[in-house]
């Protein structure tokens, strides 16, 4: 064990938080805790002891004033120690019970004793126990030392330094047992005692065992053969042995025969299973081949249509590049046709009026024929076209209105889509964010569920722990009562010895004690006489009570460990708190799952809206194109109607009819003017149509199409082209895959029939083989078990019959060994096996201690181990005495002076630490504190002691010394200085320069 760090606040003379870094002294190996008397040097070690054990050696009275008197009511009191043990680093933090202000309202309340144990795991402190009782139990396993043992081996506090040297044998045995882990030898002792009892019971039961074993064998033989019990009297033991031996031979033959039948059935079953498995595999491949052939035929039959689609797609892609030129040439040609028609119409009307088609002289003719020809021709033409034009206008206007209404409805339906999509996107974003917490919610719910289960288990185990503790308390009380009974009987026995001797006196005979022949006042017999049998019986009851106490203690420890483990897994929280947390975790998990489902539903809705919008956009484009064409026709019809109406109106003038006045002249003039305008428009439109046709012809020539009509027929819209391409790709991929799969199957099934084979005969054969194998296995197992049981019964009967005579001798040997190991007669030293082992360890401790004691005492003193028999039933073999070289006589350790006791105790403590450290599996002592005694040494002896302590630094041990001796301050540069401030509280300075 090694101390690393101490933090102390509100404890002893320390009010403010003080920190001691023991690792800072690792390089020096030895350091001094210095300060004036009363400053608080020993309080540093009190803090270490309080943190580890919840108590301090100087505060064990009724008034345990661990809290600093300098603290204000609201100041905390805590002590924290970091230490290493068994290659693991720990931190224990404690607070004593003290009064503090209430959180609400006036007055004080009691802050209970608190403790916390943490372990450093991967750089993080992980909680291991959070209650004082749990922390104490964990530290007991970790440290391996009780508080008293800790004070005798590691922290040699004031008033406790010489306890190990001056301890009684029983106390020294308890300490050594804990240090060296020798309780297992006590288990050996108990095991030998149990073996003695077993041998005694075996000796008693051996005679009945032979007949019972033979009877069991005969019953098993009858059950196997199906026979009834024989009525021919009682056979002899030899006959019964012979009959059982024959039954064993018959059972062996049946077991061997059954085993051969089982192996044959197993071989037949394996062969049938292999044939069935191979046939099933073949049938599966045959079925797959049929499916592949059918699929391939279907794909190949569709190849013609796919080739046609491929050609249509290729021509559509090529024609798409000519779409703009074709549309432009069509529009120009339509405009030229309309202009040419208009010109031809005007020319026809002009000719119909009896005029020559002389375009060059048209202007002159108009001027000449300003009257009759123009008026008649224009008026007649306008009146004949006006009704048809107006009907066309009405029809075309209704068509435009219908298209406009359809476009309005489509636009109205699409107008709300962006807003709906935005709302859907926002909802999807929110649900996606909420659904992202699903894994964490699941993990949290599982963690809370595990902790809740552990908390419920802890509640159940709390009752078992309390019951086990109560049972242990009852067993401990019974043990104490039995021990008290033994002690009382021993005292009565010793008091009755004199009366027993007096009862044996004879007048004139010598006294067995003094040899006198006269016996004037023999001791009278008491009313109650205690015999050795009474003492032995009481000791037996005490041993039984001790066994019961150890068993109850083990069960109580297991119950406490199980409860603490469950409580630690629950994180120290109650079932109610964890049930609330579980409800919240399940609510969060359900919310996250609902959000995930809502997110998927909204995404599907958004995709459907996008598809609907795209279809509506395509339909709108088609309607818009048709509307443009209708509007163009309407404009044309309206222009025609307007022109005709204007012509009629102009020809009529202010008169009721055209023919009444200037109809003929107006008609001719209008026709001439119309012809001139139509001729100009037709020329312009014809030139534009020629240019567009020439451009289209050039592009058609380089495109591979014969003419524009062929290119126009090859055009397809974007959706149709996409569908064609997808259909072609899917067909090609499926065709390749089916061909590859069929090729592999044909290779695997080369030479096999096309029709799938029938598995029914093989399945029937496999089932029959399996049933035969199962029956053979059952028969073989039963025959083997029967043979083994009969052979075992026969062998045990033979052995029991042959060894009855040996059981008595075996019992004598076992009983003598058990009594010797237990320290009873014939063991004259009364040393148990454990005491014998510990005596050997004590001899090594004494040997290690003498290496230093000889130097420190100038070769005058040596410690000696004595195995003298102890009185009053105390443990023997663990005595200590001091050999004085000046007198040549051994003397008790209690006869040494104060300084000599200090040196001997120091040497013994150091020897104990070295031997314990050297033992594998023992407690490793890497830190040692000494808190007294140096002031009792003269300068030379102090120098010897310091040299001895300086040697302890080897092996990485750190030694802390508490003293105010000036010479030690000069010799030890590494110092921990405790100073009392002017205000009262003390502070700690490390290395006399670094404030902590």
């Amino acid at each position: 064990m090694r101390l690393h760090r101490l933090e102390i606040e509100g404890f002893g003379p320390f009010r403010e938080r003080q920190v001691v870094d023991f690792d800072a002294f690792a390089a020096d190996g030895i350091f001094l805790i210095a300060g004036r008397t009363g400053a608080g040097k020993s309080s540093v070690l009190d803090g270490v002891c309080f943190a580890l054990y919840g108590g301090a050696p100087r505060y064990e009275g009724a008034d345990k004033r661990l809290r600093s008197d300098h603290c204000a009511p609201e100041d905390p009191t805590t002590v924290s120690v970091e230490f290493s043990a068994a290659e693991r680093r720990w931190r224990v933090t404690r607070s004593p019970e003290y009064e503090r202000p209430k959180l609400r309202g006036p007055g004080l309340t009691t802050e209970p004793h608190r403790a916390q144990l943490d372990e450093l795991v991967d750089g993080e402190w992980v909680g291991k126990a959070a209650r004082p009782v749990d922390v104490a139990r964990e530290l007991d396993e970790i440290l391996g030392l009780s508080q008293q043992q800790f004070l005798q081996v590691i922290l040699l506090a004031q008033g406790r330094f010489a306890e190990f040297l001056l301890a009684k044998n029983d106390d020294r045995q308890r300490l050594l047992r804990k240090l060296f882990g020798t309780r297992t030898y006590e288990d050996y002792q108990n095991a030998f005692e149990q073996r003695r009892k077993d041998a005694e019971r075996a000796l008693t039961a051996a005679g009945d065992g032979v007949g019972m074993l033979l009877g069991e064998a005969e019953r098993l033989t009858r059950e196997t053969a199906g026979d009834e019990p024989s009525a021919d009297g009682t056979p002899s033991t030899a006959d019964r042995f012979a009959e059982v031996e024959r039954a064993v031979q018959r059972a062996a033959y049946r077991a061997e025969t059954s085993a051969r039948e089982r192996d044959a059935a197993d071989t037949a079953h394996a062969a049938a299973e292999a044939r069935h498995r191979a046939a099933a595999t073949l049938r599966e491949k045959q079925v797959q081949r049929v499916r592949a052939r059918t699929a391939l035929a279907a794909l190949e039959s569709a190849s013609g249509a796919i080739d046609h689609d491929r050609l249509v797609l290729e021509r559509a892609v090529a024609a798409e590049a000519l779409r703009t030129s074709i549309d432009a040439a069509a529009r120009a040609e339509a405009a030229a046709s309309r202009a040419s028609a208009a010109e031809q119409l005007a020319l026809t009307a002009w000719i119909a009026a009896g005029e020559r088609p002389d375009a060059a002289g048209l202007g002159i003719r108009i001027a000449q024929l300003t009257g009759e020809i123009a008026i008649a021709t224009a008026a007649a033409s306008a009146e004949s076209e006006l009704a048809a034009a107006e009907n066309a206008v009405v029809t075309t206007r209704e068509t435009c209105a219908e298209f406009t209404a359809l476009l309005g409805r489509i636009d109205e339906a699409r107008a709300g889509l962006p807003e709906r999509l935005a709302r859907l996107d926002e909802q999807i974003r929110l649900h996606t964010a909420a659904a992202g917490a699903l894994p964490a919610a699941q993990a949290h719910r599982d963690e809370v569920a595990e902790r809740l289960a552990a908390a419920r288990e802890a509640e159940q185990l709390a009752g078992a722990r309390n019951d086990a503790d109560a049972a242990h308390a009852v067993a401990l009380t019974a043990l104490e009562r039995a021990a008290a009974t033994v002690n009382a009987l021993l005292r009565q026995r010793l008091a009755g010895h004199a009366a027993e001797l007096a009862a044996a006196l004879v007048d004139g005979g010598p006294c067995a004690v003094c040899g006198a022949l006269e016996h004037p006042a023999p001791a009278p017999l008491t009313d109650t006489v205690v015999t050795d049998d009474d003492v032995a019986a009481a000791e037996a009851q005490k041993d039984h009570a001790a066994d019961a106490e150890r068993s109850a203690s083990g069960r109580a420890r297991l119950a406490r460990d199980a409860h603490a483990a469950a409580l630690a897994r629950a994180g120290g929280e109650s079932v109610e708190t964890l049930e609330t947390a579980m409800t919240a975790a399940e609510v969060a998990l359900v919310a996250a799952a609902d959000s995930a489902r809502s997110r998927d539903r909204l995404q599907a809705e958004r995709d459907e809206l996008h598809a609907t919008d795209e279809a509506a956009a395509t339909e709108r484009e088609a309607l818009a194109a048709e509307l443009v064409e209708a509007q163009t026709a309407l404009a044309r019809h309206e222009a025609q109607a307007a022109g005709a109406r204007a012509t009629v109106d102009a020809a009529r003038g202010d008169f009721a009819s055209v023919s009444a006045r200037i109809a003929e002249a107006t008609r001719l003039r209008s026709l001439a003017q119309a012809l001139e305008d139509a001729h100009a428009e037709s020329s312009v439109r014809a030139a534009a149509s020629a240019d567009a046709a020439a451009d289209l012809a050039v592009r058609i020539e380089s495109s591979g199409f014969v003419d524009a009509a062929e290119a126009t027929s090859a055009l397809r819209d974007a959706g149709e082209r996409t569908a064609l391409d997808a259909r072609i790709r899917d067909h090609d991929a499926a065709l390749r895959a089916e061909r590859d799969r069929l090729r592999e199957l044909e290779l695997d099934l080369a030479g096999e029939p096309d029709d799938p084979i029938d598995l029914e005969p093989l399945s029937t054969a496999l089932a029959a083989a399996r049933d035969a194998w199962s029956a053979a296995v059952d028969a073989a197992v039963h025959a083997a078990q029967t043979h083994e049981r009969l052979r075992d019964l026969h062998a045990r009967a033979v052995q029991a019959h042959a060894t009855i005579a040996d059981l008595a001798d075996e019992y004598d040997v076992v009983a003598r060994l058990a009594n010797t190991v237990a320290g009873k007669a014939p063991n004259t030293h009364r040393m148990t096996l454990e005491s014998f082992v510990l005596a050997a360890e004590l001899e090594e401790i004494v040997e290690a201690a003498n290496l230093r004691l000889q130097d420190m005492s100038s070769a005058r003193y040596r410690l000696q181990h004595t195995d003298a028999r102890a009185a009053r039933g105390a443990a023997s073999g663990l005595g200590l005495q001091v050999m004085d070289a000046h007198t040549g006589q051994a003397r008790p350790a209690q006869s040494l002076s104060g300084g000599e006791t200090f040196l001997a105790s120091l040497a013994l403590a150091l020897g104990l630490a070295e031997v314990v450290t050297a033992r594998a599996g023992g407690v490793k002592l890497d830190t040692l504190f000494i808190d007294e005694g140096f002031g009792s040494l003269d300068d030379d002896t102090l120098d010897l002691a310091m040299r001895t302590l300086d040697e302890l630094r080897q092996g990485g041990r750190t030694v802390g010394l508490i003293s105010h001796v000036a010479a030690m301050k000069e010799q030890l540069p590494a110092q921990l200085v405790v100073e009392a401030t002017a205000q009262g509280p003390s502070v700690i300075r490390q290395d006399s320069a670094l404030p902590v």
Side-chain angles (χ1 to χ4, degrees):
M1 173 187 175
R2 177 182 294 277
L3 297 179
H4 297 286
R5 183 181 178 89
L6 169 67
E7 296 184 11
I8 190 168
E9 180 179 8
F11 183 89
F14 307 107
R15 176 184 177 182
E16 303 296 334
R17 178 173 174 267
Q18 306 295 314
V19 179
V20 178
D21 183 7
F22 294 112
D23 288 340
F25 299 123
D28 294 284
I30 187 169
F31 66 96
L32 179 66
I33 303 177
R36 299 181 60 184
T37 300
K41 300 185 297 296
S42 297
S43 295
V44 174
L45 305 188
D46 292 338
V48 173
C49 191
F50 170 71
L52 295 177
Y53 295 99
R58 298 192 300 152
Y59 297 93
E60 294 180 349
D63 187 14
K64 298 182 179 181
R65 301 184 61 181
L66 298 171
R67 180 171 167 83
S68 175
D69 292 336
H70 302 292
C71 286
E74 65 275 5
D75 290 339
T77 296
T78 60
V79 180
S80 177
V81 169
E82 293 182 23
F83 66 94
S84 295
E87 306 301 329
R88 299 166 70 182
R89 184 151 179 163
W90 304 87
R91 180 181 66 190
V92 57
T93 303
R94 285 188 190 269
S95 297
E97 180 180 298
Y98 62 92
E99 299 290 328
R100 62 166 177 80
K102 294 181 178 179
L103 297 178
R104 295 181 180 86
L108 299 177
T109 185
T110 300
E111 178 72 12
H113 175 204
R114 300 184 184 275
Q116 173 73 32
L117 179 64
D118 304 308
E119 182 182 4
L120 188 63
V121 179
D122 296 330
E124 298 289 338
W125 288 107
V126 178
K128 294 298 183 180
R131 297 190 308 162
V133 62
D134 297 331
V135 171
R137 184 168 56 253
E138 292 289 339
L139 287 176
D140 183 60
E141 297 293 334
I142 295 169
L143 298 175
L145 297 173
S146 67
Q147 179 181 355
Q148 300 301 322
Q149 296 159 349
F150 180 80
L151 295 175
Q152 291 173 339
V153 177
I154 295 178
L155 198 159
L156 307 181
Q158 291 183 2
R160 305 295 182 94
F161 190 66
E163 280 194 0
F164 183 66
L165 175 66
L166 306 177
K168 296 181 179 179
N169 284 2
D170 289 341
D171 296 334
R172 191 177 290 120
Q173 181 184 29
R174 282 192 291 272
L175 172 63
L176 293 175
R177 171 190 295 164
K178 194 71 174 180
L179 289 175
F180 294 104
T182 58
R183 186 173 291 276
T184 181
Y185 294 101
E186 185 177 359
D187 296 336
Y188 292 156
Q189 175 182 333
N190 296 333
F192 278 121
E193 177 61 21
Q194 183 61 42
R195 186 173 174 183
R196 182 194 66 78
K197 295 177 182 179
D198 293 342
E200 184 178 7
R201 285 193 296 269
L203 182 61
T204 303
D208 300 332
V210 174
M212 181 186 66
L213 292 172
L214 289 175
E216 177 66 16
E218 291 167 349
R219 183 194 61 78
L220 184 59
T221 301
R222 289 193 301 271
E223 289 180 356
T224 303
D227 298 335
E228 295 296 331
S230 175
D232 299 337
T234 302
S236 65
T237 301
D239 293 339
R240 296 178 69 187
F241 267 110
E243 182 60 30
V244 170
E245 185 174 359
R246 286 191 295 272
V248 170
Q249 294 173 356
R250 290 193 297 270
Y253 175 76
R254 285 194 296 269
E256 183 179 356
T257 302
S258 299
R260 288 196 300 270
E261 293 174 352
R262 177 202 60 200
D263 295 340
D266 183 48
T267 302
H269 174 257
E273 189 174 27
R275 288 192 297 271
H276 182 272
R277 184 166 52 251
T281 302
L282 175 60
R283 176 182 172 82
E284 178 62 24
K285 289 186 177 181
Q286 288 174 329
V287 172
Q288 292 178 1
R289 180 173 63 182
V290 172
R291 293 173 183 168
R293 287 174 177 174
T294 303
L296 181 59
L299 290 172
E300 289 177 344
S301 66
S303 296
I306 295 299
D307 292 340
H308 177 266
D309 290 344
R310 187 177 289 109
L311 178 60
V312 170
L313 178 60
E314 292 174 355
R315 292 176 60 81
V317 172
E320 189 65 27
L322 301 175
R323 183 184 289 276
T324 303
S325 298
I326 292 173
D327 292 344
R331 288 193 299 273
E333 183 180 1
S337 297
R338 290 193 297 272
S340 177
E343 181 183 8
Q344 187 63 36
L345 183 62
L347 181 59
T348 301
W350 179 250
I351 295 173
E355 296 293 330
R356 294 180 300 173
D358 184 8
L362 186 59
I364 299 173
R365 186 60 178 161
I366 290 173
Q368 294 175 347
L369 300 174
T370 57
E372 293 179 332
I373 299 174
I375 294 173
T377 303
S381 175
E383 286 178 349
S384 63
E385 293 177 355
L386 182 58
E390 288 180 345
N391 290 334
V393 167
V394 172
T395 302
T396 308
R397 184 175 289 117
E398 290 176 353
T399 302
C400 290
E402 181 181 356
F403 288 165
T404 302
L406 289 174
L407 289 174
R409 287 195 294 272
I410 292 175
D411 291 340
E412 182 180 359
R414 296 182 64 200
L417 285 178
E419 182 179 355
R420 290 182 62 188
L421 289 173
R423 288 198 302 269
L424 285 175
D425 290 338
E426 178 62 19
Q427 292 175 357
I428 289 172
R429 184 186 64 80
L430 295 176
H431 285 299
T432 301
L438 182 59
Q442 180 69 44
H444 178 63
R445 197 277 306 271
D446 294 342
E447 177 190 358
V448 173
E450 292 178 359
R451 294 171 60 195
L452 176 58
R456 288 171 176 166
E457 182 183 356
E459 281 190 349
Q460 296 175 355
L461 293 175
R465 180 199 62 190
N466 295 335
D467 294 342
D469 288 340
H472 179 226
V474 171
L476 186 61
T477 301
L479 176 61
E480 292 173 350
R481 189 180 300 113
T485 300
V486 171
N487 293 333
L489 290 175
L490 287 174
R491 287 194 295 270
Q492 293 177 13
R493 176 62 174 159
L494 292 176
H497 278 171
E500 291 181 5
L501 292 173
L505 293 176
V506 178
D507 290 337
C511 176
V513 177
C514 62
L517 299 177
E518 297 179 358
H519 318 294
L525 288 172
T526 60
D527 294 336
T528 301
V529 178
V530 178
T531 65
D532 288 338
D533 292 338
D534 295 334
V535 174
E539 287 181 344
Q541 292 180 356
K542 176 186 175 183
D543 292 342
H544 178 72
D547 293 339
E549 187 275 334
R550 280 192 296 271
S551 178
S553 175
R555 290 192 296 271
R557 182 172 66 256
L558 292 176
R560 290 194 300 271
D561 292 343
H563 178 261
L567 197 62
R569 290 197 307 275
E573 297 184 359
S574 64
V575 173
E576 291 77 10
T577 302
L578 290 174
E579 286 178 344
T580 303
M582 186 63 182
T583 301
E586 289 179 344
V587 170
L589 179 60
V590 171
D594 290 343
S595 296
R597 289 190 292 271
S598 299
R599 175 198 60 198
D600 297 338
R601 177 180 55 79
L602 292 173
Q603 286 178 344
E605 183 178 351
R606 181 182 61 182
D607 295 341
E608 184 179 356
L609 284 177
H610 276 300
T612 302
D613 185 50
E614 290 177 357
T618 302
E619 183 178 359
R620 191 188 187 287
E621 289 179 1
L623 287 174
E626 293 180 5
L627 177 60
V628 169
E629 292 181 359
Q631 288 174 342
T632 302
L634 177 61
R636 183 172 66 252
H637 295 319
E638 287 178 344
Q640 292 174 354
R645 192 178 297 108
T647 300
V648 172
D649 291 344
R652 187 176 61 242
D654 296 334
F655 297 91
S657 64
V658 175
S659 60
R661 177 107 179 255
I662 58 172
E664 186 68 16
T666 302
R667 183 178 65 83
L668 290 175
R669 186 171 56 248
S670 297
L671 289 174
Q673 187 64 49
L675 178 57
E676 186 178 31
D677 293 341
H679 178 70
E681 178 68 18
S682 178
S683 298
V684 173
R685 295 299 182 185
S689 177
D691 292 340
D695 179 69
L696 178 59
V698 172
R699 296 180 183 274
I700 289 294
E701 183 178 0
S702 62
S703 66
F705 291 103
V706 175
D707 53 23
E710 184 181 0
T712 302
S713 65
L715 285 172
R716 296 291 185 275
D717 59 32
E720 189 174 356
R721 293 196 306 274
T722 301
L724 286 170
D725 183 66
R727 189 158 59 247
I728 292 169
R729 291 177 182 274
D730 292 345
H731 178 269
D732 292 344
L735 187 61
R736 286 193 301 271
E738 287 299 333
R739 284 174 177 169
D740 292 341
R741 186 181 343 176
L742 182 58
R743 186 184 305 110
E744 292 178 359
L745 290 172
E746 293 290 359
L747 291 174
D748 291 343
L749 298 175
E752 298 294 342
D754 290 342
D755 295 333
I757 63 174
D758 186 11
L759 293 179
E760 183 62 26
L762 292 174
S763 298
T764 302
L766 176 60
R770 183 181 297 112
D771 293 340
W773 170 71
S774 178
V777 168
D778 293 341
V781 170
H782 181 266
Q785 290 176 345
T786 301
H787 170 252
E788 185 63 27
R789 178 62 175 160
L790 282 173
R791 187 177 63 179
D792 177 66
L793 290 172
H794 178 263
R796 288 165 57 192
V798 171
Q799 182 180 5
H801 185 68
T803 58
I804 291 177
D806 299 332
L807 286 179
D809 296 337
E810 180 181 354
Y811 172 76
D812 292 339
V813 173
V814 171
R816 182 179 179 86
L817 179 59
N819 292 334
T820 302
V821 168
K824 302 176 182 178
N827 188 337
T828 58
H829 286 281
R830 295 185 62 182
M831 290 177 62
T832 65
L833 177 61
E834 182 185 17
S835 298
F836 180 79
V837 174
L838 291 178
E841 300 290 354
L842 183 59
E843 287 181 351
E844 292 193 29
I845 294 171
V846 168
E847 183 178 355
N850 285 331
L851 295 177
R852 293 186 172 88
L853 181 59
Q854 280 193 306
D855 291 338
M856 290 188 290
S857 65
S858 300
R860 177 178 178 181
Y861 294 117
R862 283 181 56 85
L863 294 173
Q864 286 186 343
H865 161 247
T866 174
D867 57 1
R869 179 173 174 178
R872 299 181 181 275
S876 301
L878 298 176
L880 285 177
Q881 58 187 8
V882 180
M883 173 59 69
D884 189 345
H886 289 183
T887 64
Q889 298 293 325
R891 50 193 279 197
Q894 290 79 0
S895 65
L896 296 176
S897 66
E900 291 170 342
T901 299
F902 171 78
L903 293 179
S905 300
L906 175 60
L908 188 59
L910 298 180
L912 175 63
E914 287 186 1
V915 173
V916 169
T917 303
R919 287 288 182 272
V923 180
K924 186 177 181 181
L925 309 177
D926 293 320
T927 305
L928 178 66
F929 293 97
I930 301 175
D931 183 14
E932 71 168 44
F934 294 99
S936 63
L937 305 180
D938 55 53
D939 293 341
D940 293 338
T941 305
L942 176 63
D943 185 60
L944 289 173
M946 290 302 299
R947 286 203 303 269
T948 301
L949 292 173
D950 189 63
E951 294 175 358
L952 296 179
R953 295 185 297 177
Q954 299 177 359
R957 186 184 288 112
T958 301
V959 181
L961 309 176
I962 294 182
S963 180
H964 53 269
V965 177
M968 297 183 68
K969 295 181 181 179
E970 297 174 357
Q971 295 184 37
L972 299 177
Q975 297 183 12
L976 194 71
V977 180
V978 182
E979 296 178 338
T981 62
Q983 294 77 19
S986 297
V987 296
I988 298 174
R989 291 188 298 106
Q990 195 160 343
D991 290 335
S992 301
L994 179 63
V996 178

